[in-house]
Amino acid sequence: MGKITKLEDIVSLCKRRGFIFQSSEIYGGLASCYDYGPLGVELKNNVKKAWWKAVVQMRDDIVGLDCSILMHPLVWKASGHTDKFADLIAECKKCNVRTRVDHLKERVEEAAEEHTKHVSIESAMARAEDLSNKVCPNCGTVGKFTEPMPFKLMFETQMGANVDDSMTLYIRPETAQGIFANFRNVLDTTRVKIPFGIAQIGKSFRNEVTTKAFIFRTREFEQAELEFFCEQGTDEKWYEHWRRARFKWYTDLGLKKENLRFREHEANELAHYAKACVDIEYRFPFGSGDWQELEGIANRTDYDLRQHQRGMRTVNKWYENNRDLTNIELADEAGDFEKGPLSYFNDEQKKRYIPYVIEPSAGIDRSALAFLVDAYDEEMVRGEQRNLLRFHTAIAPIKVGVFPLVKRDGMPEIARNIYDDLKRYFNCFYDEKGAVGRRYRRQDEAGTPFCVTVDGQTIKDNTVTVRDRDSMDQVRVSTDKLVSHLREKLDL
Ligand code: GAP
């Protein structure tokens, strides 16, 4: 225990054991896109399941949703993304490589921490005034940059086959807006009452200027977002609640407390929609300061629902403009705006209002990377190095490995029967190849918490050994109690 994990160790393990591959590798790869292999997809599914269990299943006040990735273009006008979702970049005049201005480092600056959230263009502008001492991360040239310019982060695509019915769409850069757009639908079809939340897990896409560190920042990624609707005045209480709840989720799933921290946002780095924001940061083994954002928790106020009410009032104008957003201004908040279609009516108080929103927004890929990094360990056992992933049982891709000690004396048949029985409950792996010690090591490296071995004694007394990954201790368990024994140990 206690070894400092390097990103190279994780990348190499992921490739070797089929957790994560470079996308389109047979064609030379596609930058910043990754594929999850057989172990990786189980890991990622388990992260999503654990999030859904904590955020939706275990709570009475949250419902789920799965929205389409392509949405009406006005959604992104209303949310502010078409106008404001951009990074400020500068191009090095020597090598022509473009870098995010907030990622440029001073010539003499000590490894400053790089914050990964997209800061508002205004605050980036304010901080970018002087690039004369900044270093190009590609060629090392100092102070030779073009004027900073905004670079739009949303991917665009075209929908429709005919010239007169086709339009430009955006590939969603966050899942949150699908939730806001369905706020009314959920209110009308369920019995939710404020305070309540709507949760969603799904893919998002951003044309990031700088991608980095394996699956940490990619152009296609998965988010797990909760929009928690509450009455103004209770928003600060719920903000506190979600900060605590989300931090605990990571530690409950095994991330070491010393590798996690909160980082409050300064007023000048808040996104355009936020009244307050805090990041849960993880000490990743890369970058200039190691601490990097894992999840953001923001108080989005009533900004989004208000904006979508304005967007709804803009639809006719958009049609008149040939379904084009160019030069379109959102309708204003005239009239009975507070009582509009995205307001909420409190029956008991006989009061109508547009709710506030607290948003915990997590990255599934980033969480998967943090779970991998935190679980990775190497130790010497009887003169040999043992590599292992000390995953929490809920996260482990394979829960139980099943082996016959040798391939004779009826052991494979018994082991197969046990495997067929266990796989109804857990994801299991059957292996009869090579020395049993090697098979244990392979499962250790995959993070499998338990291995069941059928041996000579099984034939005599119907017991098997159950080996614990972390302690390597073995206990004998009767085959008829094996399912209940493992269910208890795995908490499944
Ligand atoms: N709806 C709010 C929102 O999207 P964000 O801070 O931009 O906020 C939330 O993103 C989370 O999504 C981040 O904390 C991170 O875990 C994940 N994320 C954002 N951009 C990412 C990228 N390019 N690659 C991987 N994960 C990303």
Side-chain angles (χ1 to χ4, degrees):
M1 290 270 267
K3 178 189 181 279
I4 297 169
T5 310
K6 293 197 217 71
L7 188 65
E8 300 92 87
D9 298 331
I10 302 295
V11 176
S12 144
L13 172 84
C14 283
K15 166 98 175 122
R16 191 168 70 242
R17 293 307 310 273
F19 277 95
I20 298 163
F21 308 118
Q22 176 80 62
S23 161
S24 319
E25 199 178 278
I26 59 166
Y27 289 96
L30 180 65
S32 106
C33 294
Y34 291 92
D35 298 341
Y36 286 78
L39 285 178
V41 67
E42 298 292 345
L43 169 69
K44 197 174 169 193
N45 282 344
N46 290 341
V47 175
K48 290 193 267 187
K49 261 190 241 162
W51 187 89
W52 198 263
K53 185 170 179 189
V55 174
V56 182
Q57 186 184 328
M58 299 300 287
R59 297 193 56 125
D60 302 334
D61 53 355
I62 297 174
V63 293
L65 204 64
D66 182 23
C67 308
S68 62
I69 288 173
L70 299 176
M71 297 181 74
H72 195 290
L74 270 172
V75 166
W76 306 110
K77 176 75 187 172
S79 67
H81 283 83
T82 51
D83 298 328
K84 295 190 174 144
F85 196 55
D87 278 336
L88 202 59
I89 57 166
E91 189 170 311
C92 172
K93 287 184 184 161
K94 179 122 186 266
C95 68
N96 300 113
V97 166
R98 295 168 165 192
T99 308
R100 260 171 73 169
V101 166
D102 61 322
H103 286 182
L104 288 173
K105 307 245 157 49
E106 294 281 328
R107 184 182 7 201
V108 287
E109 201 172 85
E110 276 296 306
E113 283 177 35
E114 168 199 301
H115 297 304
T116 57
K117 207 178 269 294
H118 301 289
V119 294
S120 74
I121 284 289
E122 293 82 357
S123 77
M125 280 283 194
R127 292 189 210 171
E129 269 160 23
D130 184 14
L131 301 185
S132 61
N133 207 23
K134 302 277 181 177
V135 185
C136 170
N138 186 52
C139 69
T141 303
V142 179
K144 295 265 179 291
F145 293 100
T146 58
E147 278 298 301
M149 54 197 155
F151 178 81
K152 296 216 167 179
L153 295 170
M154 280 201 295
F155 286 104
E156 284 183 21
T157 190
Q158 295 296 314
M159 181 187 251
N162 301 307
V163 177
D164 54 358
D165 68 3
S166 71
M167 59 177 146
T168 300
L169 293 188
Y170 300 95
I171 307 186
R172 74 175 175 203
E174 62 172 21
T175 60
Q177 298 306 323
I179 296 179
F180 297 122
N182 277 288
F183 174 70
R184 186 79 250 161
N185 281 338
V186 173
L187 274 187
D188 290 346
T189 53
T190 66
R191 296 205 180 131
V192 289
K193 283 201 160 122
I194 275 182
F196 77 92
I198 307 179
Q200 165 161 235
I201 297 177
K203 290 258 179 155
S204 293
F205 302 80
R206 296 179 189 176
N207 195 8
E208 300 280 3
V209 181
T210 26
T211 55
K212 72 174 213 178
F214 199 33
I215 55 169
F216 178 81
R217 189 183 312 124
T218 50
R219 296 194 171 104
E220 172 178 345
F221 55 97
E222 209 152 355
Q223 289 185 307
E225 299 201 292
L226 166 67
E227 307 305 323
F228 194 83
F229 301 93
C230 58
E231 190 176 352
Q232 180 179 9
T234 64
D235 52 314
E236 283 169 21
K237 180 186 91 186
W238 284 111
Y239 179 66
E240 285 307 314
H241 169 91
W242 284 110
R243 282 170 63 118
R244 275 198 304 277
R246 293 303 305 145
F247 196 93
K248 185 169 177 298
W249 183 79
Y250 291 104
T251 54
D252 283 352
L253 287 173
L255 290 196
K256 298 176 198 82
K257 267 208 182 91
E258 65 268 24
N259 290 335
L260 285 166
R261 73 176 187 189
F262 285 116
R263 188 182 74 80
E264 303 290 341
H265 282 219
E266 304 288 331
N268 69 354
E269 58 171 322
L270 287 176
H272 60 272
Y273 50 73
K275 165 177 161 185
C277 188
V278 63
D279 288 344
I280 298 176
E281 293 191 330
Y282 180 78
R283 200 200 310 232
F284 283 100
F286 54 78
S288 47
D290 287 352
W291 290 102
Q292 302 281 347
E293 174 189 345
L294 195 53
E295 165 161 356
I297 298 139
N299 183 340
R300 293 183 79 121
T301 69
D302 53 0
Y303 175 85
D304 300 272
L305 291 177
R306 294 188 93 92
Q307 287 293 103
H308 287 302
Q309 273 199 179
R310 295 177 64 195
M312 290 164 77
R313 292 176 171 194
T314 315
V315 174
N316 287 345
K317 215 195 301 179
W318 175 77
Y319 272 112
E320 285 156 18
N321 203 36
N322 296 323
R323 293 184 303 267
D324 186 358
L325 288 182
T326 319
N327 300 325
I328 286 245
E329 289 300 323
L330 285 181
D332 59 27
E333 296 195 348
D336 235 354
F337 196 77
E338 305 296 327
K339 300 192 172 150
L342 301 185
S343 63
Y344 171 82
F345 185 67
N346 183 319
D347 264 338
E348 282 130 44
Q349 300 168 336
K350 306 283 177 242
K351 192 164 111 184
R352 190 174 274 286
Y353 59 90
I354 298 180
Y356 264 43
V357 173
I358 306 303
E359 178 198 64
S361 174
I364 295 294
D365 312 79
R366 258 182 217 186
S367 302
L369 184 58
F371 286 121
L372 275 162
V373 167
D374 222 70
Y376 185 83
D377 202 4
E378 290 172 6
E379 60 182 21
M380 293 305 283
V381 178
R382 289 183 288 279
E384 248 191 74
Q385 182 172 310
R386 176 168 97 112
N387 291 353
L388 71 159
L389 287 168
R390 295 182 190 273
F391 282 135
H392 185 281
T393 53
I395 296 295
I398 300 168
K399 310 297 183 202
V400 185
V402 183
F403 316 145
L405 181 65
V406 287
K407 270 206 279 185
R408 57 181 152 75
D409 303 334
M411 290 182 214
E413 290 74 16
I414 300 172
R416 271 265 168 213
N417 280 339
I418 289 175
Y419 167 71
D420 286 342
D421 191 26
L422 293 182
K423 74 184 181 190
R424 293 187 296 150
Y425 305 94
F426 332 107
N427 194 26
C428 298
F429 187 79
Y430 178 80
D431 191 5
E432 56 179 30
K433 284 209 185 78
V436 76
R438 288 267 153 254
R439 285 179 261 161
Y440 284 143
R441 291 290 181 272
R442 279 185 66 76
Q443 291 309 312
D444 289 342
E445 209 183 34
T448 307
F450 296 103
C451 289
V452 168
T453 303
V454 170
D455 56 14
Q457 202 176 319
T458 312
I459 293 150
K460 290 184 210 142
D461 66 4
N462 275 327
T463 62
V464 289
T465 62
V466 177
R467 174 191 177 268
D468 179 290
R469 174 199 66 207
D470 296 342
S471 64
M472 292 185 286
D473 289 344
Q474 300 191 12
V475 290
R476 290 208 80 87
V477 177
S478 158
T479 48
D480 58 351
K481 301 220 166 59
L482 191 56
V483 169
S484 56
H485 175 87
L486 289 169
R487 286 188 95 159
E488 197 192 316
K489 291 270 174 199
L490 290 163
D491 194 18
L492 289 173

